[in-house]
Amino acid sequence: MNTVENLEYNTERSKLIIPEYGRHFQKMVDHAVSIADAEERNKVAQSIISVMGNLQPHLRDVPDFQHKLWDQLFIMSDFKLDVESPFPITTKEMLQERPEPLEYPQNFPKYRFYGNNIKRMIDIAIQWEKGDMRDGLEYAIANHMKKCYLNWNKDTVYDKAIFKHLYELSDGQINLVDSKEVLTDSGQFLKQRVTKSTRSTGSGKKGQRSNNRGKKRY
């Protein structure tokens, strides 16, 4: 009867901080925290680190492996373990600190279908001296923008719409709105897209036919 009364149920136990190590390992860490003698506490901590390393032999060659083990030990002790660590001790505040939000690289999210490379090309074109070479680059950029637009949007687009987008993306430094230049016809871009799609589909069917040649028919 006494044995039944002394049984522990998971619902009554404290939550495991790192479940991968198991309940017995957590008890070892809790015992180390409760040791009053500093020298003995350090010895027990070193022994725990040694056992942790033996449980993960495949990670011994990983850089900073020992550092990670010590971090895990302090985390499992809820940062209450007072021992000498060969590495800088990670605090609870450091662990809970949120990283700074990353800036989204796209400056014009409503024109994200053009991609960041187009914006980089525009920035380079702006730095060039005005002349035939820059005019040619601006026209090539506008043409590529039209191709990108047709890949992700409608089946047709007016050149003036592309020129307006280019004007916005260049902060008004490239103005082809009143230009008489004519970009590649939308149908040409669409034809190329259909041709690529047909080739990829055809190559798949061809592969299927070749795979069936060696099979016996019954």
Side-chain angles (χ1 to χ4, degrees), residues 134-145:
R134 173 167 168 171
D135 292 342
L137 179 58
E138 291 175 355
Y139 176 79
I141 292 172
N143 222 27
H144 192 64
M145 287 173 63

Side-chain angles (χ1 to χ4, degrees), residues 43-55:
K43 287 182 180 179
V44 172
Q46 291 285 353
S47 299
I48 293 174
I49 289 294
S50 179
V51 176
M52 291 171 71
N54 291 334
L55 291 175

Side-chain angles (χ1 to χ4, degrees), residues 171-187:
D171 294 326
Q173 298 191 56
I174 299 178
N175 188 2
L176 301 178
V177 177
D178 298 327
S179 174
K180 295 182 180 180
E181 293 285 351
V182 179
L183 300 177
T184 303
D185 185 72
S186 299

Side-chain angles (χ1 to χ4, degrees), residues 147 184 186-197:
K147 182 179 180 180
T184 303
S186 299
Q188 186 65 28
F189 287 129
L190 295 172
K191 184 179 179 181
Q192 293 176 2
R193 189 172 66 183
V194 172
T195 303
K196 289 181 180 179
S197 176

Side-chain angles (χ1 to χ4, degrees), residues 27-217:
K27 288 183 176 180
M28 290 170 59
V29 177
D30 294 340
H31 172 68
V33 174
S34 66
I35 297 174
D37 184 66
E39 185 177 351
E40 181 65 21
R41 192 167 57 246
N42 276 284
K43 287 182 180 179
V44 172
Q46 291 285 353
S47 299
I48 293 174
I49 289 294
S50 179
V51 176
M52 291 171 71
N54 291 334
L55 291 175
Q56 306 176 69
H58 58 289
L59 297 177
R60 286 188 178 275
D61 296 331
V62 176
D64 297 330
F65 175 62
Q66 286 289 323
H67 194 174
K68 292 177 182 178
L69 293 181
W70 279 96
D71 284 345
Q72 290 176 345
L73 177 61
F74 286 113
I75 291 170
M76 291 176 69
S77 70
D78 196 22
F79 303 94
K80 297 175 182 177
L81 184 61
D82 183 15
V83 293
E84 296 178 3
S85 171
F87 305 99
I89 299 176
T90 302
T91 62
K92 183 182 288 187
E93 290 73 21
M94 292 172 61
L95 193 66
Q96 294 176 347
E97 185 179 351
R98 291 187 176 183
E100 295 182 2
L102 295 174
E103 294 183 2
Y104 192 70
Q106 176 60 267
N107 295 325
F108 293 86
K110 70 175 182 178
Y111 296 140
R112 58 181 177 270
F113 47 83
Y114 288 130
N116 291 324
N117 287 334
I118 284 289
K119 187 65 176 71
R120 295 189 187 101
M121 291 168 65
I122 292 172
D123 293 338
I124 292 173
I126 291 171
Q127 297 173 8
W128 285 19
E129 293 183 4
K130 291 188 177 181
D132 293 340
M133 290 187 65
R134 173 167 168 171
D135 292 342
L137 179 58
E138 291 175 355
Y139 176 79
I141 292 172
N143 222 27
H144 192 64
M145 287 173 63
K146 185 174 183 179
K147 182 179 180 180
C148 293
Y149 187 99
L150 292 171
N151 282 338
W152 297 102
N153 289 279
K154 300 176 182 179
D155 291 338
T156 184
V157 60
Y158 292 107
D159 291 352
K160 282 195 174 183
I162 299 297
F163 293 152
K164 286 180 180 179
H165 294 172
L166 179 57
Y167 182 81
E168 290 184 46
L169 290 170
S170 65
D171 294 326
Q173 298 191 56
I174 299 178
N175 188 2
L176 301 178
V177 177
D178 298 327
S179 174
K180 295 182 180 180
E181 293 285 351
V182 179
L183 300 177
T184 303
D185 185 72
S186 299
Q188 186 65 28
F189 287 129
L190 295 172
K191 184 179 179 181
Q192 293 176 2
R193 189 172 66 183
V194 172
T195 303
K196 289 181 180 179
S197 176
T198 305
R199 285 178 180 175
S200 60
T201 306
S203 61
K205 291 181 178 179
K206 184 178 180 181
Q208 291 177 359
R209 286 198 299 269
S210 61
N211 290 335
N212 292 331
R213 286 178 182 175
K215 294 183 179 179
K216 295 182 179 180
R217 296 182 180 179

